[in-house]
Amino acid sequence: MNNYKNKLANLTELIRKDSAINNAIDAVEQLSLILLIKYFYDIILVDTPRTRHVSSFRNLFNVDDVYGSRDTAIDFYTLRRTLEDIVNDIDSNEIELIEDSLAFNTWKIVDKLLNEIPFRIRSSKILNEVLFRLENIDILECLTNEFDELISSMVKSSKASGAFYTPKSLIDALVKVTKPKVNDSVYDPAMGTARTFVATKEFLSSNNDSSRLKVKGNDINPFAYLIGVLNLLVNNIDISDISLSDSLLTQGHSKYDVIISGIPFGIVSEFSRYEYAYHGYQGNLEAMFLKHTMDKLNINGRAALIVPEGVLFNGTNHLDSLRYQLLTQFNLHSILSLPNGTLAPYTGVKVSVLFFDKTPPGKDIWFYDLATNKNINKRTPIKEDDFSEFISLFESREICDRACLIDKELLLNNKSYNLSISLPNKEEAIKFDKSETIEELKTENSKLTRSIANYFDITSRNISVGYSEPRIIKSIGKLRTGDNLTKSELLENGRFPVYGGNGIIGYFEEANRHENTIIIGKVGLYCGNIHFSEEPFWLTNNAISLEVIDTSNVFIPYLAHLLRGLDLNKLSTGAVQKFLSIKQLNDIEVSLPSYKKQVELSNWFSELEDSKTSIQELLSAFNDELGLITKNIIVEKAIKH
């Protein structure tokens, strides 16, 4: 099994070497697209009668014949035409059989995804190597855990991808306490990587037959849809009712027995599109998804919804109304409060889980506070063991140090229907278990030692470089100042990051710059700072964007490294407040090596930066753990329990 895991991880690293692949999300996206086509080939094309013959999966791409050895952009439409021709040539006697199968649904989804997601791999050599290695992978055997690990690794290396991912340990815990049954219809309106459905199948498989599992899932993002579909296929789960769509706008009267979801949250910019279906609730994602879940729950149905903490207490009229409905029209029976950092690295917003059934309301709510003696973050994520007590006490609703019962009558007498609950005597110290933290310290120490050695290995490389004639920035790209955005308009979470002079300062629901853009600090202390965004973003008027036009000769990440090394702050003017002008930046001269050498150098610089950052993060984590154990030892000795 580890061999499969290593193969997928190695394939991702190989794809990341391509000049058009900017980050872990791009690499996983492209690998997943190829794996989906591989699945389609292995299921349909190998054994299905047809007049057009393709001898191997790799032959579908015709890399050697069509692309030769050129290191140039690849026309992916050739592959698509080949696939369409093969499907059209399938023996007509088999069509009826295929249309009823999981495999034929796969072709329709492949076709849709090839419309939505561009093929980014630029190098035919890299593509050829990826296809060659995939020939020896049986995608139908032992790939489930490895793909899940690949997704987890992607999330750790890219904050943005956390938008599609809820920690495995959390989803597994929600499924275990919600207890889906064999004939239950299971729905996730924001399915992301489809972990809810995989966990449901695992739960049913350990208890009874999971072959009749009925799932319905939607996601509005093509990347998340691709990952989710592939995750379901490798876990042998029917994808016929999985769609690329906005759940909030999906028409129909279907209702479901079990709804488990980590819903999106934030402010919607185009809220008018939801006016008809969500009058009074539109504009606020968490409110609309909560209302949607309540509407879609079957009689006697069960829901577990991960929501931002603000849903429990924010005083807006629409949230007051939804909380009142939960207390009077549903059986809101349990609330799980999760630690800060549970959804790291995507967001630091504290979240809770609402458990409610479409049954007559009970008299009280079981509240459980999942506190831990460690910092929950990207490096130390929440684990399966952290949920053990919660799972064991959920059904009995037992009262303990972390759990209490709250009378609903008290909440209803409070006209804001505040669901933000605190444990009684929560401030009392609890006994601290040093052994786990000491082991974590030892692990951090080993990682730190390896990281320092790795940094020196990277630094010691020798790379020879030849440079072209100098060029001015004006000939490479376009410089533009950003647009004003007030502090009141900034969001804690939103669709797009907002960049100021020194990096991300918040989020917004609109973007004014495209992906792969360099950001230059314009005024003040951070004048001349360089950042690079691989995704669309909003740029404030405290910064200038450099949008490269000559992308055939300029590798943008390399140019960002180069500008960072020039220390542009030295060019700033102004006595009271320093600033950089577009005219000054336009006239900067740079000498660029060949495109291939730019990619090589950029990767080297990035490895150095990543290694340095890793060392700094490890030192910080080491310091945090040392502080935690010192503090708790003092508390343990000073306070009588």
Side-chain angles (χ1 to χ4, degrees), residues 160-396:
S161 58
F164 318 120
Y165 180 84
T166 302
K168 178 180 181 297
S169 57
L170 172 55
I171 290 295
D172 289 352
L174 300 189
V175 169
K176 287 175 182 176
V177 298
T178 308
K179 294 184 176 179
K181 299 173 185 175
V182 173
N183 292 315
D184 280 342
S185 54
V186 182
Y187 177 47
D188 186 343
M191 70 170 193
T193 63
R195 181 63 213 171
T196 293
F197 304 137
V198 175
T200 299
K201 181 177 181 182
E202 291 171 351
F203 175 78
L204 291 175
S205 297
S206 64
N207 291 279
N208 43 46
D209 180 20
S210 64
S211 61
R212 289 173 287 166
L213 176 61
K214 297 175 291 186
V215 301
K216 166 65 177 174
N218 308 317
D219 206 288
I220 198 171
N221 184 281
F223 170 72
Y225 180 63
L226 166 63
I227 299 297
V229 163
L230 187 56
N231 204 11
L232 294 176
L233 287 173
V234 299
N235 282 280
N236 197 28
I237 298 174
D238 187 0
I239 57 171
S240 57
D241 216 2
I242 302 298
S243 67
L244 178 61
S245 61
D246 188 342
S247 295
L248 299 177
L249 297 178
T250 301
Q251 300 298 317
H253 303 288
S254 299
K255 294 183 182 292
Y256 304 95
D257 301 312
V258 176
I259 303 178
I260 301 174
S261 186
I263 62 173
F265 44 87
I267 304 299
V268 179
S269 56
E270 299 178 28
F271 59 81
S272 58
R273 63 195 294 205
Y274 302 108
E275 173 68 28
Y276 177 77
Y278 296 93
H279 180 69
Y281 302 103
Q282 78 277 12
N284 185 297
L285 275 172
E286 54 264 39
M288 290 191 291
F289 270 96
L290 176 54
K291 180 70 166 62
H292 176 76
T293 302
M294 293 159 70
D295 291 343
K296 288 293 183 180
L297 201 58
N298 234 338
I299 299 296
N300 297 320
R302 311 178 298 289
L305 219 57
I306 304 167
V307 299
E309 194 97 321
V311 167
L312 305 183
F313 59 82
N314 277 350
T316 54
N317 289 336
H318 57 274
L319 285 175
D320 286 348
S321 171
L322 288 173
R323 289 195 293 266
Y324 178 75
Q325 292 175 50
L326 280 176
L327 289 167
T328 59
Q329 299 174 25
F330 295 81
N331 182 22
L332 175 63
H333 55 82
S334 305
I335 297 176
L336 168 64
S337 177
L338 293 162
N340 287 321
T342 295
L343 299 187
Y346 171 55
T347 177
V349 171
K350 193 176 188 319
V351 294
S352 293
V353 184
L354 299 176
F355 297 89
F356 55 95
D357 302 342
K358 191 69 177 290
T359 57
K363 293 183 178 180
D364 49 35
I365 298 172
W366 185 65
F367 174 77
Y368 187 93
D369 188 354
L370 199 150
T372 63
N373 291 322
K374 62 184 178 183
N375 295 322
I376 301 296
N377 51 45
K378 181 175 77 171
R379 300 194 66 83
T380 55
I382 199 160
K383 298 178 181 177
E384 182 181 350
D385 291 345
D386 296 323
F387 291 94
S388 298
E389 184 184 74
F390 165 74
I391 294 171
S392 67
L393 301 180
F394 184 84
E395 193 166 354
S396 65

Side-chain angles (χ1 to χ4, degrees), residues 91-105:
D91 184 16
S92 59
N93 294 327
E94 299 292 324
I95 290 294
E96 184 176 349
L97 173 64
I98 294 168
E99 285 180 339
D100 292 335
S101 71
L102 176 68
F104 196 75
N105 287 324

Side-chain angles (χ1 to χ4, degrees), residues 518-531:
I518 296 171
I519 301 116
I520 306 171
K522 177 183 173 185
V523 295
L525 180 64
Y526 304 115
C527 181
N529 274 13
I530 302 294
H531 294 273

